[in-house]
């Protein structure tokens, strides 16, 4: 199974900052890497598909990059509403797997 | 508006069975692969099952293979998850999710989830 390692586990940020979250795969997943946001007590929401493709309705401050084994989710100007856990997920091979998440805390 | 509404959760004893349902609306259900994803309390996400548009192909991780069965009724726009031989580690919120098709280089891929239900809690305990 492909193991996805997300770092950091927790990130404390100031509103307005630009931040980057990391997701590293145990083997290449090409660009079959997707990002989700889960706010407290809510269902996950798709943020980015295929490493860097934007999703309709998602604010433009969210962007993704990477391929192979190293991926980054960037938030350009964090807002209070971004307080969430962010998960990466690979779709390159079965079983589909998720990272353990990065929790974003607002200072 | 796409809506996925799960039902059927609850408290069940280890070794017993439970069947979850997901009612879909707002899109042509029969055109999409569908999936179940679960989340144990305070834990991360785990993919549980995927089913093709016709129901002829199903996919599971080893953790549930042989115990869980995903199925669908396209006439009713409904997705199901039959869970047998339940274990305490199956305790989780179960989400119904949609797999959109992605067409690339002559092939369709169904490898991410674009809409999720609100989830239904399953507790396995004596």
């Amino acid at each position: 199974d492909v193991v996805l390692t997300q770092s950091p586990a927790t990130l404390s940020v100031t509103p307005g900052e630009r931040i980057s979250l990391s997701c590293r795969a145990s083997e290449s997943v090409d660009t079959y890497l997707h990002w989700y946001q889960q706010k407290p007590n809510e269902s996950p929401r798709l943020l980015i598909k295929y490493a860097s493709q934007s999703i309709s309705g998602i604010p433009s401050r969210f962007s993704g990059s990477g391929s192979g084994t190293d991926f980054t989710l960037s938030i350009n100007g964090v807002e209070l509403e971004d307080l969430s856990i962010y998960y990466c997920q690979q779709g390159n091979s079965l079983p589909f797997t998720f990272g353990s998440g990065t929790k974003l805390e607002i200072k | 508006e796409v809506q996925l509404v799960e039902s059927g959760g609850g408290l069940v004893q280890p070794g017993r069975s439970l069947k979850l349902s997901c009612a879909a609306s707002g899109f042509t259900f029969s055109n999409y692969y569908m999936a179940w994803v679960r989340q144990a309390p305070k834990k991360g996400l785990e993919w549980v099952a995927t089913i093709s548009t016709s129901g002829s192909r199903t996919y599971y991780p080893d953790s549930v293979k042989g115990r869980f069965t995903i199925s669908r009724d396209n006439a009713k726009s409904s997705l199901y998850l039959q869970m047998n031989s339940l274990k305490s580690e199956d305790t989780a919120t179960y989400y119904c999710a949609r797999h959109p098709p992605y067409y690339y280089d002559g092939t369709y891929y169904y490898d991410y989830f674009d809409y999720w239900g609100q989830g239904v809690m399953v507790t396995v305990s004596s």
Side-chain angles (χ1 to χ4, degrees):
Chain A
D1 298 2
V2 176
V3 176
L4 299 178
T5 301
Q6 292 190 242
S7 61
T10 304
L11 186 60
S12 186
V13 301
T14 301
E17 268 188 80
R18 175 181 171 85
I19 65 167
S20 294
L21 310 182
S22 172
C23 177
R24 182 162 292 176
S26 59
E27 61 188 75
S28 176
V29 297
D30 197 343
T31 57
Y32 294 91
L33 191 287
H34 317 293
W35 291 94
Y36 301 86
Q37 176 192 56
Q38 188 175 31
K39 295 184 178 182
N41 301 311
E42 292 188 8
S43 305
R45 176 175 73 152
L46 178 67
L47 283 182
I48 298 287
K49 63 180 181 180
Y50 299 108
S52 62
Q53 294 183 19
S54 59
I55 302 298
S56 176
I58 299 300
S60 58
R61 64 180 179 274
F62 292 94
S63 63
S65 63
S67 66
T69 60
D70 290 304
F71 300 87
T72 299
L73 174 70
S74 298
I75 308 177
N76 189 11
V78 172
E79 298 190 3
L80 287 173
E81 66 179 19
D82 297 336
L83 184 158
S84 304
I85 300 177
Y86 293 85
Y87 295 97
C88 56
Q89 175 249 320
Q90 67 83 21
N92 185 63
S93 61
L94 292 176
F96 299 134
T97 51
F98 291 85
S100 56
T102 291
K103 184 177 182 180
L104 198 62
E105 297 180 337
I106 307 297
K107 288 180 182 176
Chain B
E1 179 193 6
V2 172
Q3 285 199 320
L4 300 169
V5 180
E6 302 93 338
S7 60
L11 175 63
V12 61
Q13 293 179 328
R16 304 298 290 266
S17 299
L18 196 65
K19 187 173 185 177
L20 305 182
S21 299
C22 170
S25 61
F27 65 103
T28 304
F29 181 73
S30 58
N31 287 350
Y32 287 84
Y33 278 43
M34 297 294 295
W36 290 96
V37 179
R38 69 183 179 184
Q39 186 170 35
K42 304 296 185 184
K43 299 294 185 182
L45 300 165
E46 180 186 18
W47 168 70
V48 171
T50 286
I51 189 168
S52 64
T53 51
S54 66
S56 61
R57 292 186 298 276
T58 57
Y59 308 89
Y60 308 91
D62 287 345
S63 58
V64 307
K65 193 175 295 182
R67 299 189 300 122
F68 289 13
T69 301
I70 188 172
S71 62
R72 66 190 296 160
D73 184 337
N74 286 341
K76 294 183 177 179
S77 295
S78 292
L79 179 72
Y80 306 101
L81 184 67
Q82 176 68 47
M83 304 184 291
N84 298 332
S85 304
L86 282 161
K87 307 174 182 180
S88 58
E89 51 263 42
D90 295 319
T91 294
T93 296
Y94 285 74
Y95 296 101
C96 169
R98 192 178 81 166
H99 272 297
Y102 176 68
Y103 185 75
Y104 177 76
D105 200 23
T107 301
Y108 280 101
Y109 297 89
Y110 303 87
D111 66 284
Y112 69 99
F113 314 99
D114 65 347
Y115 286 93
W116 300 62
Q118 85 287 350
V120 62
M121 185 67 199
V122 173
T123 302
V124 183
S125 174
S126 55

